[in-house]
Amino acid sequence: MSIHTQIGDWFDHFHAYPEVSWKEVETTKKISEILTAMNVKHHTFDDVTGVIAEIGEGERIIAVRADIDALWQEVDGTYQANHSCGHDANISMVLGALAYLQEQELGCRIRFIFQPAEEKGNGANSMIERGAVDGVSHLFGVHLRPKEEIPFGKISPAIHHGAAIFLEGKVNGIDAHGARPHQGKNALDPIFAIADYIKTIHFSPYEAYSAKLTKVQAGGESLNIIPGTATFGIDVRAQSNTVLKELRDRIEQGIHSIGQLHSVAIELEWSDYTPAAEVADEAMELAKEGILETFGEEAFAPAIVTSGSDDFHFYTIHRPDLKAAMIGIGADLGPGLHHPKMTFNHDALDMGAKVLATTLRKASYQS
């Protein structure tokens, strides 16, 4: 069986058996089985999903990461695990790159990190804690891109993701009869104030950022009860880590003031922080050389700037000396990432695997 065909079969399997973050048990087992069949040394963990494998020899190590989890979302009226972000493709492309590299001479060891829980924004940290990038000089990632960013046949040497964090809040007011609002504290009033407030936060127009309410829950079936308790969620994003921090601080300060104004306690909890990309010029240049050598100038696309986020960038946050870049693969992907019916041109899988293999081989000889 050709590597091209094998990549397609791997994708079909992972797509048919999606598993959500931290529960990628069968996915981990399947990756291990594939690596065993390829005679590739690897190990799994007793306390977390994911796999780390290595090929090649020498003291120096470069690495590539594939995320392995799926989303939990509604598909045709049923909530289920679903590979609508392309992580099934990422696994298959990285396994394909490994297969291509087994046929080539390498200048150092290459480590393959099959990482859980990217969708939770903290799976990278679990791999960092377990030594996934210890001794690693260069780290590469790969991800399919939506067609509005680049079309099929084009490949970008780097994806500049934005930073993201989520805020969950609870307003603690006092229930009251709808005819006697003076006896209670309507929990919805401060939430409406918060919605207006976050629209007044401004930075330089040269900065990309956003904050928006994405969840509000309050009240019950009785419409004559003023709800004293309500919960809300805010999605916060920025293209730089610095702006995200300032945006977070200003949101928190404003909500605190709104709570005082309405004489209610507002509980806040920040979660699932994902940092903005820290792309190394050296890694991006190696990826560019890999694209040009594999498919020529006509396949090359400039670096992508996207408001989406990826926990891949925790690796460089924790290891600032790490030279990292994520390669973007044009695949005519639509209607969009995370859409329950997302589809793409499957010929992009072999293209991604070949470019990744060439990039890793070139990086293995980088001094």
Side-chain angles (χ1 to χ4, degrees):
M1 183 185 296
S2 69
I3 295 175
H4 179 282
T5 301
Q6 186 67 78
I7 293 170
D9 287 350
W10 289 331
F11 171 80
D12 290 341
H13 174 87
F14 292 119
H15 186 75
Y17 299 99
E19 295 177 298
V20 296
S21 302
W22 301 120
K23 298 181 180 179
E24 311 95 331
V25 176
E26 295 302 318
T27 302
T28 295
K29 186 183 298 183
K30 181 63 176 180
I31 294 169
S32 179
E33 290 173 357
I34 292 169
L35 294 170
T36 298
M38 297 171 73
N39 295 314
V40 174
K41 62 181 181 180
H42 64 280
H43 65 271
T44 56
F45 306 92
D46 294 332
D47 58 343
V48 72
T49 46
V51 186
I52 294 180
E54 278 193 7
I55 60 174
E57 299 178 351
E59 292 296 319
R60 186 166 163 269
I61 309 168
I62 63 172
V64 59
R65 173 272 219 169
D67 33 16
I68 68 174
D69 57 330
L71 289 156
W72 184 259
Q73 63 183 160
E74 186 177 1
V75 182
D76 294 329
T78 301
Y79 279 93
Q80 63 185 63
N82 188 40
H83 270 304
S84 59
C85 194
H87 294 184
D88 44 0
N90 298 346
I91 302 168
S92 305
M93 288 187 286
V94 170
L95 286 170
L98 193 161
Y100 282 121
L101 288 167
Q102 283 188 305
E103 302 175 348
Q104 303 178 36
E105 292 291 329
L106 302 174
C108 73
R109 289 151 61 194
I110 300 181
R111 185 173 294 165
F112 296 80
I113 305 165
F114 296 92
Q115 176 213 298
E118 188 281 325
E119 296 295 353
K120 290 292 186 181
N122 51 18
N125 291 330
S126 73
M127 293 291 99
I128 293 167
E129 292 165 2
R130 288 161 179 79
V133 289
D134 288 358
V136 173
S137 63
H138 295 70
L139 176 68
F140 296 91
V142 64
H143 209 296
L144 302 179
R145 303 316 303 160
K147 56 188 174 184
E148 63 266 23
E149 291 183 356
I150 50 174
F152 171 75
K154 293 288 188 178
I155 303 173
S156 170
I159 304 170
H160 290 265
H161 289 99
I165 194 167
F166 306 107
L167 176 63
E168 290 187 275
K170 181 180 180 181
V171 179
N172 297 297
I174 301 173
D175 284 8
H177 193 291
R180 301 173 183 86
H182 62 288
Q183 294 177 348
K185 293 180 180 177
N186 191 336
L188 287 172
D189 289 340
I191 291 179
F192 295 148
I194 291 168
D196 287 336
Y197 168 70
I198 60 177
K199 295 175 185 177
T200 70
I201 301 174
H202 298 295
F203 296 94
S204 164
Y206 298 105
E207 299 285 355
Y209 59 94
S210 69
K212 76 290 291 183
L213 275 173
T214 54
K215 181 183 78 170
V216 176
Q217 294 178 335
E221 294 184 4
S222 299
L223 299 183
N224 64 344
I225 298 175
I226 294 172
T229 301
T231 59
F232 62 93
I234 302 178
D235 176 293
V236 183
R237 297 178 184 269
Q239 204 59 46
S240 78
N241 294 313
T242 301
V243 171
L244 185 80
K245 182 181 184 305
E246 187 171 349
L247 183 55
R248 170 180 169 166
D249 291 344
R250 288 173 65 175
I251 289 171
E252 194 164 322
Q253 291 165 6
I255 292 176
H256 177 70
S257 297
I258 288 169
Q260 290 182 319
L261 179 66
H262 289 266
S263 300
V264 296
I266 304 179
E267 303 171 22
L268 299 178
E269 182 178 358
W270 294 95
S271 64
D272 292 344
Y273 164 62
T274 307
E278 300 287 349
V279 178
D281 290 341
E282 182 180 317
M284 185 168 63
E285 185 61 30
L286 284 165
K288 178 180 179 180
E289 292 174 9
I291 297 166
L292 297 176
E293 181 177 317
T294 309
F295 292 111
E297 188 73 38
E298 63 275 11
F300 178 77
I304 296 167
V305 177
T306 176
S307 57
S309 60
D310 197 295
D311 80 349
F312 176 82
H313 308 295
F314 270 120
Y315 292 103
T316 50
I317 293 294
H318 290 284
R319 279 278 312 279
D321 60 320
L322 194 61
K323 300 177 178 66
M326 179 179 286
I327 299 170
I329 308 297
D332 279 347
L333 187 153
L337 291 169
H338 291 205
H339 190 284
K341 297 296 182 69
M342 183 272 280
T343 60
F344 66 94
N345 187 331
H346 289 193
D347 288 339
L349 295 171
D350 191 57
M351 293 183 67
K354 286 178 176 176
V355 163
L356 193 54
T358 303
T359 300
L360 292 168
R361 176 180 53 79
K362 294 180 77 67
S364 77
Y365 288 100
Q366 189 79 3
S367 58

